[in-house]
Amino acid sequence: MAGARAAAATSPGSSSSSGNPPPREPGLGELLEEFSRTQYRAKDCSGAGGSKVERIEKRCLELFGRDYCYSVIQNVNGDICGHYPQHIVFLEYESSEKEKDTFQSTVQVSKLQDLVNRSKTARCRGRFVCPVILFRGKHICRSATLAGWGELYGRTGYNYIFSGGADDAWADAEDITEEDCALRSSDTHLFDKVRGYDIKLLRYLSVKYICDLMVENKKVKFGMNVTSSEKVDKAQRYADFTLLSIPYPGCEFFKEYKDRDYMAEGLIFNWKQDYVDAPLSIPDFLTCSLNIDWSQYQSWDLVQQTQNYLKLLLSIINSDDDSGLLVHCISGWDRTPLFISLLRLSLWADGLIHTSLKPAEILYLTVAYDWFLFGHMLVDRLSKGEEIFFFCFNFLKHIISEEFSALKTQRRKSLPARDAGFTLEDICMLRRKDRGSTTSLGSDFSLVMESSPGAAGSFTYEAVELVPAGAQTQAAWLAALNERKTRLQEVRSAFLAAYSSTVGLRAAAPSPSGAIGGLLEQFVRGVGFRGTSSSTL
């Protein structure tokens, strides 16, 4: 592992010793072209294609380094996981430019490395629990689901002996031989061992909440349980964690989204299919404040389901405890990046994480790191019309409102507001500079709220007053209220423009009304992005 200071010391914009101009930073268009051409594999990062990936990874490190001190888990040649980044970022601390030169990490890097190496076999495809977002000192993590006995014994008894430890050769059940199955009875302690290390890693990262997006209890192929999940662990090894079963349709369902001309409204998953056996299960203490009727989840369309799940995840990470969150599906490279990316963008839009990044930069970071470098199979998904990747960024239009904001207020300290036109939530959205004096004796009332986020894990409280709603204050309030909306709209627009000029239009057939078929076609013709060079995006 290496510290962030070394990674950030050589900026992509620094001059070379020869006096030649530095290489141009990789843009989103270039990233999407590479992404739509091949699936990322850490072991294939060599040659011309490898140099492109190296530039993408270097750009990600630079963007992380803008706001965080971090360490790097080295995964060169995919030694730990073949479809995880070569340089896996472990965010340690949110820091200012001044603090970057003086901060001394207290993370036990060697312990983290050891737990990662020991726990990787516990999960599907070796995709171990990996922290990817740091929010108020809490780690938001991603992974695949737990490996079932079929994969676990197949890999330990076959792949790791004869295939040099390749972590992606296990996928089909025919790789599991009768000899592998015999290992099941000869070593009953293997599950305890590998899942024990997985649990130690979760505890080291202070993860308490585990959100499982699988619609199955176990993944079954050819009649065999290939993978498992924490919610059906017979030994109850994960009983000390808060387990949430929030079934969400897999990538196959998003072909229907594409076939419906990219319209998610009214698109409802068929919950009566034979393989769907995981019910929605959420502890009551996590749902009481959300005002959502969870018993109706099977009647929700794709928009409402995604919105409600995102609200749930945001409420968990915005709670008062210091516990982290793990989100996973089966392999952890379709539904998992969907929600990780939405969380990252939503928190960024509130100004709570990645505070120095512009819309184009946060978009690049989440596409490159959350999707491409964690192995999303965009090439395969595009060939099948399973456009879950596109859905993620087009969906931003559905989370622009304040109800998805993680900005949280505390209880009032004294008298209620006299002006019913201003609510406590309204005042939260005001910028500090627009709130007026905190010492004036002529204020209508004061309240206690969380300040703008500072160092991760620390909170400060200040007295904030409501001043008479003059024109300037009213304008400032409206501007602050619209900031989240504006930022997310800018990200969505930049994505659609780059996507249309690189991946290309994949419009469905025109509707009977004669309307233009395909959301992308409508967007491109409406705002004039047709023919725009990807190098300018």
Side-chain angles (χ1 to χ4, degrees), residues 341-396:
S341 193
L342 290 177
L343 282 172
R344 192 185 300 277
L345 290 169
S346 182
L347 293 172
W348 166 83
D350 287 333
L352 298 174
I353 63 172
H354 302 292
T355 55
S356 70
L357 299 190
K358 299 176 182 178
E361 293 171 331
I362 191 67
L363 174 58
Y364 185 95
L365 179 63
T366 191
V367 170
Y369 197 75
D370 296 329
W371 289 89
F372 176 61
L373 294 176
F374 272 86
H376 177 64
M377 301 172 66
L378 182 60
V379 181
D380 176 78
R381 302 304 184 243
L382 289 175
S383 69
K384 297 176 180 177
E386 299 169 352
E387 298 209 39
I388 187 172
F389 172 66
F390 175 80
F391 169 81
C392 175
F393 296 94
N394 187 44
F395 185 76
L396 294 178

Side-chain angles (χ1 to χ4, degrees), residues 257-425:
Y257 165 68
K258 184 258 183 183
D259 290 345
R260 293 179 81 252
D261 215 8
Y262 302 95
M263 292 292 293
E265 295 85 348
L267 180 57
I268 301 175
F269 181 68
N270 179 11
W271 297 96
K272 296 182 179 180
Q273 298 174 80
D274 292 340
Y275 70 95
V276 179
D277 60 357
L280 184 140
S281 177
I282 309 171
D284 291 340
F285 75 92
L286 292 176
T287 62
C288 58
S289 63
L290 292 176
N291 195 29
I292 296 172
D293 185 358
W294 294 96
S295 66
Q296 299 299 310
Y297 78 97
Q298 293 188 354
S299 67
W300 296 339
D301 64 16
L302 186 57
V303 172
Q304 190 175 8
Q305 186 178 29
T306 309
Q307 287 178 323
N308 288 340
Y309 283 10
L310 182 61
K311 288 178 183 178
L312 174 65
L313 296 178
L314 287 168
S315 70
I316 290 173
I317 62 176
N318 206 32
S319 61
D320 291 331
D321 65 29
D322 296 327
S323 302
L325 166 71
L326 169 65
V327 179
H328 75 75
C329 49
I330 297 178
S331 293
W333 55 28
D334 288 303
R335 290 166 284 186
T336 298
L338 166 64
F339 282 98
I340 291 295
S341 193
L342 290 177
L343 282 172
R344 192 185 300 277
L345 290 169
S346 182
L347 293 172
W348 166 83
D350 287 333
L352 298 174
I353 63 172
H354 302 292
T355 55
S356 70
L357 299 190
K358 299 176 182 178
E361 293 171 331
I362 191 67
L363 174 58
Y364 185 95
L365 179 63
T366 191
V367 170
Y369 197 75
D370 296 329
W371 289 89
F372 176 61
L373 294 176
F374 272 86
H376 177 64
M377 301 172 66
L378 182 60
V379 181
D380 176 78
R381 302 304 184 243
L382 289 175
S383 69
K384 297 176 180 177
E386 299 169 352
E387 298 209 39
I388 187 172
F389 172 66
F390 175 80
F391 169 81
C392 175
F393 296 94
N394 187 44
F395 185 76
L396 294 178
K397 64 183 178 180
H398 295 295
I399 63 169
I400 58 177
S401 65
E402 185 182 349
E403 63 183 317
F404 295 95
S405 174
L407 294 171
K408 186 183 70 172
T409 61
Q410 301 295 321
R411 63 182 180 276
R412 294 174 186 254
K413 188 177 181 181
S414 56
L415 298 175
R418 296 175 185 173
D419 184 354
F422 277 86
T423 67
L424 198 59
E425 296 296 327

